[in-house]
Amino acid sequence: MRLGIGIHFGEAIVGAMGPPTSQVISAIGRSVNTCARLETLTKEYDCRVIVSRRAADLAGLDVKGRELLRASVDGLAQPVEFYAINTMADLRAG
């Protein structure tokens, strides 16, 4: 089994949704859609993690020497900028 993770930073609406007898915790919003798109890109780029430039900057990740990539996201006028990360160990603060 292979796992791909998309990481982004932004606002979302999170809460219990659905009928009272079978509610589930869920999140909706542009940032959730962006995370889903980034997660999908892990297959295309054959990597474990895709982190948006915004999330990397705010988290202080060391991305020196990494290629800044771009992809479109449905509902967004501008493409999202991101880094493809091969292993979780590569996610280090700078």
Side-chain angles (χ1 to χ4, degrees):
M1 186 166 103
R2 188 168 175 273
L3 179 69
I5 300 171
I7 301 173
H8 183 58
F9 179 88
E11 294 182 2
I13 298 170
V14 179
M17 299 180 191
T21 57
S22 61
Q23 289 187 336
V24 294
I25 302 297
S26 189
I28 58 174
R30 285 185 188 156
S31 60
V32 177
N33 294 342
T34 301
C35 279
R37 174 73 169 122
L38 296 176
E39 182 273 328
T40 299
L41 289 170
T42 62
K43 297 171 190 82
E44 183 178 327
Y45 286 89
D46 192 29
C47 63
R48 303 280 176 159
V49 180
I50 298 262
V51 59
S52 72
R53 179 180 187 177
R54 177 174 166 82
D57 289 349
L58 291 169
L61 298 181
D62 181 6
V63 292
K64 289 179 185 169
R66 295 196 179 277
E67 183 179 3
L68 182 61
L69 304 162
R70 290 173 184 77
S72 63
V73 176
D74 287 344
L76 296 181
Q78 299 295 319
V80 64
E81 296 179 320
F82 65 90
Y83 301 98
I85 310 295
N86 291 322
T87 67
M88 293 300 284
D90 291 335
L91 285 174
R92 295 197 178 119

